[in-house]
Amino acid sequence: MNVKHSALTPLGVMVLALLREGDMHPYEMVRLLRARRDDRIVPITNGTLYHTVSRLHGRGLIDEVGVDRDGNRPERTTYTLTPAGHAAVGDWVRRELGVTGRTTFPVALAEAHNLERYEALELLRTRRTLLDQELASLSQALDGAAARDVPDQYLLEVSRHRILLQAEIAWLDDLIPRMASPDFAWGPDPEHLPAQRKARQND
């Protein structure tokens, strides 16, 4: 199946990434995403998640593996990740992690552990270089505006942008060497993830 990974929504990527940890039903997905506070970076409602799951299933990125019924509760369909879905996560994160100017970076960063450590580091270094170039260009523009006595009221957003760029560059300068260390835990551990999921649900 020819799947356009670029059409994936951030929530779709997060659902696929959850299923890389193990099979689960949408109710469990919602609980996990909220327990991990992923609703800070992507709006999550039961309706949007179930719609996302339906779309992913229709595109062959996930597949049904069973239906459970617990007492009088509605039936819950359990889903698994297909090979195409597995590849889609890495492709999406790979495309979004190393670039600037997009609103999807927080999701790409949250799912960066789905890439090999060396690849995630390379992409973050690329982003660091682009941010530095953007900061230099922005600073030059601000200096030019000051030389022309442009009133500060017209430069508020640009000044804010420069501060945010400086802060993220400093954060990356701290993160990258820490992340490069073998002491920095990285990547999924399939043997322990199911237990971790249950522990988070009980928090």
Side-chain angles (χ1 to χ4, degrees):
M1 180 178 294
N2 183 18
V3 178
K4 293 184 178 180
H5 299 158
S6 60
L8 285 173
T9 64
L11 181 57
V13 173
M14 298 184 91
V15 168
L16 294 177
L18 280 179
L19 291 176
R20 289 186 74 165
E21 301 178 16
D23 301 345
M24 65 183 80
H25 49 71
Y27 179 77
E28 186 179 6
M29 296 176 196
V30 171
R31 291 190 61 179
L32 267 178
L33 289 169
R34 288 175 176 163
R36 297 176 183 182
R37 299 303 311 277
D38 288 329
D39 51 353
R40 294 177 301 104
I41 53 179
V42 174
I44 298 170
T45 66
N46 290 350
T48 56
L49 189 130
Y50 276 84
H51 178 68
T52 296
V53 167
S54 177
R55 290 188 64 214
L56 294 173
H57 181 248
R59 295 172 61 188
L61 299 177
I62 63 177
D63 202 3
E64 298 179 1
V65 290
V67 178
D68 299 324
R69 179 182 289 277
D70 185 6
N72 293 325
R73 294 179 179 178
E75 291 183 346
R76 294 176 178 172
T77 302
T78 299
Y79 292 89
T80 192
L81 199 62
T82 65
H86 191 279
V89 177
D91 289 348
W92 190 94
V93 175
R94 196 172 287 117
R95 191 184 66 248
E96 301 294 329
L97 189 62
V99 299
T100 62
R102 296 182 184 172
T103 59
T104 49
F105 176 70
V107 175
L109 184 64
E111 302 301 344
H113 61 273
N114 289 287
L115 302 180
E116 295 292 335
R117 184 196 304 263
Y118 77 90
E119 188 174 15
L121 283 167
E122 181 180 345
L123 290 168
L124 289 175
R125 291 186 183 111
T126 298
R127 179 180 175 88
R128 166 67 173 79
T129 299
L130 293 174
L131 289 174
D132 205 36
Q133 294 171 354
E134 188 176 344
L135 177 61
S137 176
L138 200 62
S139 296
Q140 185 178 17
L142 281 170
D143 290 343
R148 298 191 306 273
D149 293 324
V150 176
D152 287 343
Q153 63 178 326
Y154 299 118
L155 304 173
L156 295 179
E157 198 286 322
V158 182
S159 299
R160 170 186 174 275
H161 192 184
R162 178 165 66 173
I163 292 295
L164 293 177
L165 286 172
Q166 292 169 334
E168 184 172 345
I169 289 170
W171 173 75
L172 284 171
D173 286 343
D174 173 72
L175 171 66
I176 289 172
R178 288 194 298 114
M179 190 170 140
S181 168
D183 294 331
F184 192 96
W186 191 258
D189 183 351
E191 293 183 1
H192 301 300
L193 277 171
Q196 290 177 348
R197 266 206 321 270
K198 293 177 182 176
R200 288 192 183 99
Q201 285 183 339
N202 294 329
D203 287 345

